Amino acid sequence: MESLYELGIKAQAGDEVSLIKIIERKRKMIKRYSFGDEDCYQYIIEKLIRGIKNYKF
C-alpha cells in the first residue's frame, strides 16, 4: 500500500489513478465536512486537487 506522500508525488506528475486513490482515502472526511451539501462536497474535492497540484513535495 502506497503512502499518501507517494500518491501525492505521482498525482502531481499527472497520474490520475493516484489522485483518485487520494480522494477515496479522504472520502469520509470530505463527506463529514461537506455536511450533506453536494456543492460543498465538490468544492472540497476541487480544492484538494488544486492543493495536491501546487504542494511542494
Side-chain angles (χ1 to χ4, degrees), residues 6-43:
E6 293 167 340
L7 289 172
I9 290 173
K10 289 180 181 180
Q12 198 173 49
D15 184 10
E16 292 182 20
V17 174
S18 294
L19 188 59
I20 292 170
K21 286 181 181 179
I22 293 171
I23 292 170
E24 285 299 317
R25 284 191 187 181
K26 298 298 178 182
R27 187 163 306 280
K28 279 187 177 180
M29 184 178 72
I30 295 169
K31 282 188 178 189
R32 184 176 352 143
Y33 288 107
S34 65
F35 306 108
D37 182 6
E38 184 64 29
D39 290 333
C40 186
Y41 181 78
Q42 293 297 325
Y43 179 76

Side-chain angles (χ1 to χ4, degrees), residues 14 37 50 53:
D37 182 6
R50 284 187 192 172
K53 296 290 182 183

